[in-house]
Amino acid sequence: MNTKIKKDFIVSLFFALLAIGYLYQAQSISVFSPFSQDGPDSKTVPNIIGGLMLLLSATLFVTTLFSWRKNKLVSTAEAPIQSTKKFPIKLVISLVLLGLYIACYQEVGFIISSISYLILQSIVLIPAEKRKKWTLFIIGLSIVFTVVIYFLFSKYLTLFLPIGLLG
């Protein structure tokens, strides 16, 4: 079995278990409903996040299963690709960016820190040859996504996010 396929299976199973644990723990959140009985309550967002994580991990598992079957059917006449172990620089940069985001979240505010994080994280994850082509799209999407999330949380869910430097 290909190492990429093994990794994808392991990652999908890990996140499925993480999502199940997250959903289980989300049930212990005390219920606060600012919109009476009909609207979302304090468990709504954690349940959505856990459900999406479970759905995405199941999707990864199924697509990896199809990829594994497809690779199994391909003839083995091709020479195996030699994999060289590389230092996971993108992982390290991603963890540093996440740490900076968490550290700056309260002081700088949700909007500025989230836009900056999304732009930088996207630039790290996109291959170098495609960065120039996608930079404007990434910036626009980061701004729109962050502002929409901010207004959804503050106006409709009445969950206030830190304003930081903008306030």
Side-chain angles (χ1 to χ4, degrees), residues 98-110 112-114 162 164:
L98 185 60
L100 286 172
Y101 176 69
I102 293 169
C104 297
Y105 181 75
Q106 289 293 331
E107 297 298 321
V108 178
F110 174 78
I112 295 174
S113 60
S114 295

Side-chain angles (χ1 to χ4, degrees), residues 118-137:
L118 287 173
I119 291 170
L120 293 173
Q121 187 64 51
S122 297
I123 288 172
V124 166
L125 293 176
I126 289 179
E129 63 272 5
K130 294 183 180 180
R131 284 185 191 140
K132 204 172 196 180
K133 176 182 174 185
W134 289 96
T135 302
L136 287 176
F137 177 75

Side-chain angles (χ1 to χ4, degrees), residues 51-121:
L52 285 174
M53 189 172 14
L54 188 60
L55 177 71
L56 290 173
S57 63
T59 304
L60 178 61
F61 185 83
V62 169
T63 56
T64 304
L65 185 63
F66 284 136
S67 176
W68 176 62
R69 285 187 175 186
K70 181 180 166 185
N71 284 345
K72 206 165 93 168
L73 295 176
V74 173
S75 69
T76 57
E78 300 173 7
I81 299 172
Q82 297 293 330
S83 66
T84 57
K85 302 247 179 193
K86 292 183 182 179
F87 184 73
I89 190 72
K90 286 187 178 185
L91 175 65
V92 172
I93 293 171
S94 295
L95 291 174
V96 168
L97 287 174
L98 185 60
L100 286 172
Y101 176 69
I102 293 169
C104 297
Y105 181 75
Q106 289 293 331
E107 297 298 321
V108 178
F110 174 78
I111 293 177
I112 295 174
S113 60
S114 295
I115 290 172
S116 303
Y117 174 75
L118 287 173
I119 291 170
L120 293 173
Q121 187 64 51

